[in-house]
Amino acid sequence: MTQAAPSRLSRFRIPPLLLLLTGFWFTFVATSSGGFESSDAELRLATARSWLEGRGGAIDSPALTARTPDGRRFSFYGPLQSVVMVPSLAVAKLLPVSEATRDNAARFLITLVTQPLLSVLALAFCFGALRHLGVGNTASGKATVAVGLGTLFWHYARMGQEENLVALGFSLWLYGVSRYLKKDERGLPWAALGGCVAIATRWAAAPSLAVMAVLTVVLLVRNGWARGKVLALSAAICGGTLGALFAYNVHRFGHPLETGYGLFFQDKQLSFFVPERWAEQAAALLVSPYRGFFVYSPLLAAVLVWAFLRARAVVFRGPSAPLNVLALLVLAVNVVFLSSYSFWDGGFGWGPRFLAATVILFAPMLGLLFERVRWGNVALGLAVATQLLSVTLPATTENHARAAAVSTGSRTCTSWTCDCTAICLRPGMSLDALRNTLAGRPGRLIAPRESLAPDQVLLSSDYQTLNWWPVRLSFRMGLMHRFAALALSGTLLVLTALLMGQAFRQWRRARAPHEGGELSLAADLPPDRH
C-alpha cells in the first residue's frame, strides 16, 4: 500500500526558532512598563528629537549633559540608541494628534516595539552562535532562554536603558567568532559589526571590546582562515564606524576623542575614578545583595561551579574553550574597571547594570550545561522565577525605599544591607503590588513634574500595583478595567509558554544522535548524572 500524501496543513510548520523568538517578544512586551524608567533614555530621546528638528543633537537639559564653549549642551552617550529611536519619532510625528500624544506614541513604539525587538535580535544571534559551536537545538534553546529570561538581561530587555543594544553587539560578535571557529571566514565581518554596535552605544564597552579584539587577533594569527577581501570588509566596518563616531565627537565637542564625559566631570568637579574604594566595590559588584552579579544571576554562579568542579575538560579544553575563557576575562576586566568608576553601581536598576550585557558571553558555557546535566531544567525554572521579580515594579523602587529608610533614620544602608536591596525587598513588594492590582487599590496618582519625598513616591500607583503597561493604562488613564489589563498581560505570558513549549517539542522530535555535527560538544563524553 502506498502512504497517503500529507495534507497542506500537516506540511505547514512554523520554524521552532521563530516560535521561541516570538515567545521572547511577547514576554518583553507583556512585562514592559510602556515607559523608559531611565533619565538616560530621556536624554537619548531628546537627542533623537534634536536631530529631527535640525539642531544637530543639542538639547536643553542641564542634567547629565556636557556643555560646549559656545553654551550648547549635548548628551555624552554613544549615539546609536538615539539613532534607533528616530524611526519611532518620525512615525509618531505623522499622527494627526496633539504634540503630547505624539510624544506618548513615540515612547510606546520604542518600548513596545523597538526595544523588545532589539532584545529578541540579540537572543537570535546568541542561538545562532551556539548552533555554530555544535550545541544541539534543544540545549541551544534552553541556553538562550537562560540568558533571556534567567538572568538580569530580562529586566533590561524591556525598558529604555541601552543594555540590550550593547548585548546585541556582544551577541553579533559571539555569532561571528563562532562561525570563524567553524572555519567560516564570513563570520569575521559579523564580529566586526558586533564590536561597532557596542562601541557606538556605550563608550565604556571599550574594555570588553579590547579583550574580544585580542582573542579575534589571536585566532586570526593561529588559524589564518581569512582572505584579504574578508579582512578588508571587516576593517572597513570598524574604520567606518569609528570615523563616524569621531566625526560626531568633533561636531559636538571639537575633538575626535572628547566624548563629553571629561567635560561633564570637570564641570561638576567630580573624580572619574575613585581607586581607593576598588576592593570594596569589586566585591560588591560580584556578590553583594545590592549589585552582586552572581546574586542577581545565580544561574551563572551555578554554571561556573559546575564548570570548575565537574566539567573542566569540556568547558576549558573543548571547541568553545576560547569563548568560555573570554567570558571570564571580560567579566574580570569589567569588574576591575567599574569598581574604580565613580558611578560604579549604574544608578537605578536590577543588579549591576553595567554588567548586564556580559551575560550573553556565558551562553556557550550554558549550552554545555544543558547538554550534560539533568538538573539544568530545575535550575532554569528557578532562575526564571527569580528574574520575574525584576519586572513587577519600576527600576527605581529600591532606590526610593533606600532613600526613605536613610532619611527617616530607620536603618543605615550599605551595599551589604539586604533590607535595602532589590533582591530582598522585591518578593514582599511584588506580592503587595499583585494584591493591590487585583483589589483595585492603586494608591495616589502623581501629577506631572510633582516632586515628592521618597516615601510618598512609593505610595503612588506605579509602585503600589504591577508596573506593566496595561495595568498602568488601567489605573493612570482609566482606559481599561484592571481585570482586562491583567488578562492582556496574562494572555501574552501564556502564549509565550505555549510557543516556547511547542518549539522544544519540535526540536525533541527532530533530534538525532550528536545533532550538533562535527563540532558537537555532546559526542565526546557520556551524559553527566550529577
Side-chain angles (χ1 to χ4, degrees):
M1 296 178 62
T2 59
Q3 189 173 12
S7 67
R8 289 184 180 180
L9 185 61
S10 65
R11 289 198 301 265
F12 178 74
R13 185 176 70 107
I14 300 175
L17 178 58
L18 182 59
L19 293 173
L20 186 74
L21 297 178
T22 303
F24 279 124
W25 187 72
F26 282 168
T27 301
F28 299 151
V29 169
T31 57
S32 170
S33 69
F36 289 157
E37 300 187 52
S38 162
S39 58
D40 296 353
E42 295 287 350
L43 293 176
R44 294 184 178 95
L45 181 67
T47 298
R49 185 179 289 114
S50 174
W51 290 339
L52 291 176
E53 294 171 351
R55 299 170 57 198
I59 56 181
D60 299 326
S61 174
L64 295 176
T65 53
R67 183 177 180 180
T68 61
D70 61 4
R72 293 182 301 166
R73 288 189 173 274
F74 291 90
S75 162
F76 43 72
Y77 304 119
L80 186 56
Q81 192 178 27
S82 295
V83 171
V84 301
M85 289 177 170
V86 167
S88 296
L89 283 172
V91 170
K93 202 173 184 64
L94 300 175
L95 299 176
V97 293
S98 67
E99 191 60 36
T101 304
R102 288 195 191 104
D103 182 69
N104 287 331
R107 292 167 189 272
F108 259 66
L109 284 172
I110 292 167
T111 54
L112 299 183
V113 179
T114 305
Q115 289 291 93
L117 285 179
L118 289 172
S119 302
V120 169
L121 195 58
L123 295 171
F125 279 103
C126 178
F127 179 90
L130 295 176
R131 292 297 292 125
H132 279 289
L133 288 170
V135 181
N137 277 320
T138 302
S140 295
K142 290 179 182 178
T144 306
V145 172
V147 169
L149 302 180
T151 70
L152 68 166
F153 180 88
W154 185 2
H155 176 79
Y156 296 101
R158 20 68 62 200
M159 61 179 293
Q161 285 289 12
E162 75 278 17
E163 315 311 316
N164 61 338
L165 199 48
V166 178
L168 174 59
F170 288 177
S171 186
L172 284 165
W173 180 88
L174 185 66
Y175 174 77
V177 171
S178 298
R179 289 184 62 165
Y180 185 66
L181 286 172
K182 203 176 179 181
K183 301 186 180 182
D184 183 356
E185 63 181 6
R186 292 172 298 178
L188 290 176
W190 287 103
L193 178 62
C196 293
V197 168
I199 196 66
T201 303
R202 176 184 289 156
W203 305 110
S208 300
L209 295 177
V211 180
M212 296 177 189
V214 168
L215 175 62
T216 306
V217 171
V218 168
L219 293 175
L220 277 170
V221 172
R222 188 185 72 178
N223 300 326
W225 297 330
R227 292 169 293 171
K229 63 180 183 181
V230 175
L231 293 176
L233 176 59
S234 303
I237 293 172
C238 293
T241 301
L242 290 176
L245 291 175
F246 291 155
Y248 188 54
N249 285 344
V250 171
H251 162 71
R252 293 185 296 176
F253 306 118
H255 193 281
L257 298 181
E258 178 55 71
T259 65
Y261 277 95
L263 296 174
F264 171 77
F265 277 85
Q266 181 180 0
D267 182 53
K268 300 296 183 181
Q269 297 182 340
L270 296 172
S271 297
F272 197 91
F273 290 108
V274 187
E276 58 269 19
R277 301 185 63 184
W278 173 84
E280 174 191 348
Q281 291 173 174
L285 281 170
L286 290 173
V287 293
S288 76
Y290 176 51
R291 287 293 185 263
F293 181 73
F294 294 116
V295 172
Y296 286 85
S297 291
L299 183 60
L300 298 183
V303 75
L304 283 180
V305 171
W306 170 79
F308 280 101
L309 296 184
R310 304 293 306 177
R312 285 193 300 272
V314 68
V315 172
F316 298 114
R317 289 196 290 274
S320 64
L323 298 176
N324 295 328
V325 172
L326 174 123
L328 297 177
L329 287 176
V330 168
L331 178 62
V333 167
N334 273 282
V335 169
V336 170
F337 172 75
L338 293 172
S339 59
S340 298
Y341 180 45
S342 297
F343 299 107
W344 65 278
D345 61 356
F348 303 141
W350 171 261
R353 177 166 72 88
F354 293 142
L355 295 177
T358 63
V359 302
I360 289 286
L361 301 176
F362 286 86
M365 208 179 299
L366 286 166
L368 287 171
L369 174 78
F370 288 112
E371 280 202 326
R372 309 197 58 75
V373 303
R374 286 182 170 178
W375 50 264
N377 291 341
V378 175
L380 178 58
L382 292 174
V384 172
T386 300
Q387 299 307 318
L388 180 61
L389 296 174
S390 75
V391 297
T392 53
L393 296 168
T396 54
T397 301
E398 292 74 35
N399 295 76
H400 287 307
R402 189 184 185 98
V406 171
S407 64
T408 59
S410 60
R411 68 172 67 95
T412 301
C413 291
T414 71
S415 298
W416 306 93
T417 308
C418 196
D419 290 344
C420 299
T421 63
I423 202 69
C424 294
L425 292 173
R426 282 282 173 127
M429 296 182 76
S430 295
L431 286 175
D432 288 342
L434 177 60
R435 282 195 290 263
N436 290 336
T437 303
L438 291 171
R441 297 190 296 264
R444 62 168 297 176
L445 294 177
I446 300 180
R449 302 186 184 281
E450 184 179 3
S451 179
L452 295 174
D455 58 331
Q456 294 301 306
V457 172
L458 291 173
L459 297 177
S460 66
S461 61
D462 283 351
Y463 300 86
Q464 290 294 305
T465 59
L466 294 176
N467 191 45
W468 297 345
W469 64 271
V471 175
R472 296 183 75 207
L473 288 179
S474 173
F475 288 122
R476 293 184 59 153
M477 302 180 68
L479 295 182
M480 64 178 78
H481 193 276
R482 66 183 185 276
F483 291 134
L486 286 171
L488 177 56
S489 294
T491 299
L492 289 173
L493 294 176
V494 169
L495 283 174
T496 292
L498 294 175
L499 291 172
M500 289 188 172
Q502 178 62 21
F504 283 106
R505 279 192 294 272
Q506 289 188 28
W507 278 324
R508 282 194 296 270
R509 285 197 295 264
R511 184 167 54 193
H514 310 323
E515 62 178 352
E518 63 174 340
L519 290 181
S520 175
L521 304 177
D524 300 327
L525 299 173
D528 192 346
R529 299 303 183 195
H530 299 277

Short mmCIF file of all heavy atoms in Angstrom, two decimals, residues 170 173 195 199 204-217 326 330 333-334:
data_model
loop_
_atom_site.label_atom_id
_atom_site.label_comp_id
_atom_site.label_asym_id
_atom_site.label_seq_id
_atom_site.Cartn_x
_atom_site.Cartn_y
_atom_site.Cartn_z
N PHE A 170 27.49 42.39 21.54
CA PHE A 170 28.23 41.22 22.03
C PHE A 170 27.73 39.94 21.35
O PHE A 170 28.52 39.04 21.05
CB PHE A 170 28.08 41.10 23.54
CG PHE A 170 28.83 42.14 24.32
CD1 PHE A 170 28.74 42.20 25.70
CD2 PHE A 170 29.63 43.08 23.69
CE1 PHE A 170 29.43 43.15 26.43
CE2 PHE A 170 30.33 44.05 24.41
CZ PHE A 170 30.22 44.09 25.79
N TRP A 173 29.08 39.69 17.85
CA TRP A 173 30.50 39.28 17.90
C TRP A 173 30.60 37.79 18.19
O TRP A 173 31.38 37.07 17.55
CB TRP A 173 31.23 40.07 18.98
CG TRP A 173 32.68 39.69 19.08
CD1 TRP A 173 33.73 40.22 18.39
CD2 TRP A 173 33.23 38.65 19.91
NE1 TRP A 173 34.89 39.57 18.73
CE2 TRP A 173 34.63 38.62 19.66
CE3 TRP A 173 32.69 37.77 20.84
CZ2 TRP A 173 35.47 37.72 20.32
CZ3 TRP A 173 33.53 36.87 21.47
CH2 TRP A 173 34.90 36.85 21.21
N GLY A 195 31.21 44.49 17.39
CA GLY A 195 32.03 45.44 18.14
C GLY A 195 31.61 46.87 17.87
O GLY A 195 31.58 47.71 18.79
N ILE A 199 30.34 49.69 20.72
CA ILE A 199 31.07 50.94 21.00
C ILE A 199 30.26 52.16 20.59
O ILE A 199 30.37 53.22 21.20
CB ILE A 199 32.45 50.94 20.29
CG1 ILE A 199 33.36 52.02 20.88
CG2 ILE A 199 32.31 51.13 18.79
CD1 ILE A 199 33.74 51.81 22.32
N ALA A 204 31.97 53.01 27.25
CA ALA A 204 32.56 52.16 28.28
C ALA A 204 32.57 50.69 27.90
O ALA A 204 33.03 49.86 28.68
CB ALA A 204 31.81 52.35 29.61
N ALA A 205 32.06 50.36 26.70
CA ALA A 205 32.21 48.98 26.21
C ALA A 205 33.63 48.70 25.76
O ALA A 205 33.97 47.55 25.48
CB ALA A 205 31.23 48.72 25.06
N ALA A 206 34.47 49.74 25.71
CA ALA A 206 35.84 49.58 25.19
C ALA A 206 36.66 48.52 25.92
O ALA A 206 37.35 47.73 25.27
CB ALA A 206 36.56 50.93 25.22
N PRO A 207 36.63 48.43 27.28
CA PRO A 207 37.41 47.37 27.93
C PRO A 207 37.00 45.97 27.49
O PRO A 207 37.85 45.11 27.24
CB PRO A 207 37.13 47.60 29.42
CG PRO A 207 36.79 49.04 29.53
CD PRO A 207 36.04 49.36 28.27
N SER A 208 35.69 45.73 27.39
CA SER A 208 35.21 44.42 26.93
C SER A 208 35.67 44.16 25.49
O SER A 208 36.15 43.07 25.16
CB SER A 208 33.68 44.35 26.98
OG SER A 208 33.21 44.54 28.29
N LEU A 209 35.52 45.17 24.65
CA LEU A 209 35.87 45.00 23.24
C LEU A 209 37.37 44.81 23.05
O LEU A 209 37.79 44.13 22.10
CB LEU A 209 35.39 46.22 22.44
CG LEU A 209 33.86 46.39 22.39
CD1 LEU A 209 33.50 47.66 21.65
CD2 LEU A 209 33.20 45.19 21.74
N ALA A 210 38.17 45.38 23.94
CA ALA A 210 39.62 45.17 23.84
C ALA A 210 39.96 43.70 24.04
O ALA A 210 40.78 43.12 23.31
CB ALA A 210 40.34 46.03 24.88
N VAL A 211 39.31 43.06 25.03
CA VAL A 211 39.54 41.63 25.26
C VAL A 211 39.06 40.82 24.05
O VAL A 211 39.73 39.89 23.59
CB VAL A 211 38.81 41.17 26.54
CG1 VAL A 211 39.04 39.68 26.77
CG2 VAL A 211 39.29 41.97 27.74
N MET A 212 37.90 41.17 23.52
CA MET A 212 37.37 40.46 22.35
C MET A 212 38.28 40.64 21.13
O MET A 212 38.49 39.69 20.36
CB MET A 212 35.96 40.98 22.03
CG MET A 212 34.94 40.72 23.11
SD MET A 212 33.34 41.44 22.66
CE MET A 212 32.43 41.22 24.18
N ALA A 213 38.79 41.84 20.96
CA ALA A 213 39.67 42.10 19.82
C ALA A 213 40.95 41.28 19.92
O ALA A 213 41.44 40.74 18.92
CB ALA A 213 39.99 43.58 19.73
N VAL A 214 41.51 41.17 21.13
CA VAL A 214 42.72 40.38 21.32
C VAL A 214 42.47 38.93 20.95
O VAL A 214 43.27 38.30 20.24
CB VAL A 214 43.23 40.51 22.77
CG1 VAL A 214 44.32 39.47 23.04
CG2 VAL A 214 43.76 41.91 23.02
N LEU A 215 41.33 38.37 21.42
CA LEU A 215 41.02 36.98 21.08
C LEU A 215 40.85 36.81 19.58
O LEU A 215 41.33 35.83 18.99
CB LEU A 215 39.76 36.53 21.81
CG LEU A 215 39.28 35.12 21.45
CD1 LEU A 215 40.33 34.07 21.82
CD2 LEU A 215 37.95 34.79 22.11
N THR A 216 40.18 37.76 18.94
CA THR A 216 39.97 37.67 17.49
C THR A 216 41.30 37.66 16.75
O THR A 216 41.51 36.86 15.82
CB THR A 216 39.11 38.85 17.01
OG1 THR A 216 37.88 38.89 17.76
CG2 THR A 216 38.77 38.70 15.54
N VAL A 217 42.21 38.53 17.15
CA VAL A 217 43.52 38.59 16.50
C VAL A 217 44.30 37.30 16.75
O VAL A 217 44.96 36.76 15.84
CB VAL A 217 44.31 39.82 17.00
CG1 VAL A 217 45.76 39.77 16.49
CG2 VAL A 217 43.64 41.10 16.53
N LEU A 326 37.11 33.61 27.51
CA LEU A 326 36.87 35.03 27.25
C LEU A 326 35.77 35.59 28.15
O LEU A 326 35.87 36.72 28.63
CB LEU A 326 36.49 35.22 25.78
CG LEU A 326 36.08 36.66 25.46
CD1 LEU A 326 36.93 37.26 24.35
CD2 LEU A 326 34.60 36.75 25.09
N VAL A 330 36.37 38.89 30.30
CA VAL A 330 35.57 40.11 30.13
C VAL A 330 34.93 40.51 31.45
O VAL A 330 34.91 41.70 31.82
CB VAL A 330 34.51 39.91 29.03
CG1 VAL A 330 33.49 41.05 29.04
CG2 VAL A 330 35.18 39.82 27.66
N VAL A 333 37.76 41.94 33.70
CA VAL A 333 38.21 43.26 33.25
C VAL A 333 37.16 44.33 33.58
O VAL A 333 37.50 45.44 34.03
CB VAL A 333 38.50 43.23 31.73
CG1 VAL A 333 38.65 44.65 31.18
CG2 VAL A 333 39.77 42.43 31.46
N ASN A 334 35.89 44.00 33.38
CA ASN A 334 34.84 44.98 33.69
C ASN A 334 34.75 45.25 35.18
O ASN A 334 34.52 46.40 35.60
CB ASN A 334 33.50 44.46 33.17
CG ASN A 334 33.26 44.84 31.72
OD1 ASN A 334 32.91 45.97 31.41
ND2 ASN A 334 33.49 43.90 30.83
#
